[in-house]
Amino acid sequence: MAVGASLLVVLGRNPMHSVLLLIVSFAALAGVYIGLEAPFAAVVQIIIYAGAIMVLFLFVVMLLNAHREDDAAPPAGVVSGPLRAGAVLAVLLAAELTWALTRAARGGEDLLAAGPGAEASALQSVRAVGNVLYTEYSLAFEVTSILIIVAMVGAVVLAKRES
């Protein structure tokens, strides 16, 4: 479901539908996290990405009043710059995925930060993670919130100037 929704995000012509399908893709990814027994990552995926970030995307699409993508296509036989960049990124992603799978199959170093001997309750303790985040990284949270507010104000100002 995550792959299908992600493909529809990229291939869709309506930006509003793409934003809503990206929310579906994030929710499906949270389901993958639950299947991997990582409930904290699943909850964070829903709260931060499907919640906060996608609301910002939705506001930007609504403020810019972008109803449909332009139908301007390059002439036949001409490969555009974004298509070339996308092809290069796809090849790099495939190479990285192949490298990670062969590394995991060889049984070399563990791909996870915590080794197999780590205690599961210590890895999944939401209280411990929250305590570290809100004590040691409180400045990062404040700076991020100010950055998001500045971005929202900038989007409103840009959208208001055009109308």
Side-chain angles (χ1 to χ4, degrees):
M1 186 154 131
V3 173
S6 299
L7 283 174
L8 289 174
V9 167
V10 175
L11 298 176
R13 313 271 304 150
N14 188 336
M16 191 68 73
H17 292 159
S18 293
V19 168
L20 295 174
L21 283 167
L22 195 54
I23 293 172
V24 171
S25 177
F26 285 154
L29 187 59
V32 170
Y33 286 143
I34 289 173
L36 292 172
E37 298 178 8
F40 181 74
V43 170
V44 168
Q45 176 76 21
I46 295 294
I47 291 173
I48 293 177
Y49 288 107
I53 302 296
M54 291 314 300
V55 167
L56 288 176
F57 282 4
L58 197 58
F59 280 147
V60 167
V61 168
M62 289 169 49
L63 284 173
L64 294 178
N65 207 10
H67 296 294
R68 293 191 65 77
E69 185 177 335
D70 293 337
D71 289 333
V78 176
V79 179
S80 65
L83 187 59
R84 269 187 252 139
V88 168
L89 287 175
V91 168
L92 287 174
L93 178 66
E96 182 179 358
L97 184 61
T98 304
W99 173 76
L101 289 175
T102 56
R103 184 172 151 193
R106 280 194 311 246
E109 316 101 67
D110 207 329
L111 292 176
L112 300 175
E119 190 176 329
S121 63
L123 292 175
Q124 295 183 359
S125 172
V126 177
R127 175 178 278 165
V129 171
N131 192 18
V132 169
L133 286 177
Y134 287 117
T135 55
E136 294 183 25
Y137 298 105
S138 59
L139 178 64
F141 277 109
E142 294 301 322
V143 170
T144 304
S145 65
I146 291 170
L147 180 67
I148 290 174
I149 289 172
V150 168
M152 286 178 61
V153 169
V156 169
V157 168
L158 287 175
K160 195 162 186 113
R161 240 187 248 166
E162 289 180 4
S163 61

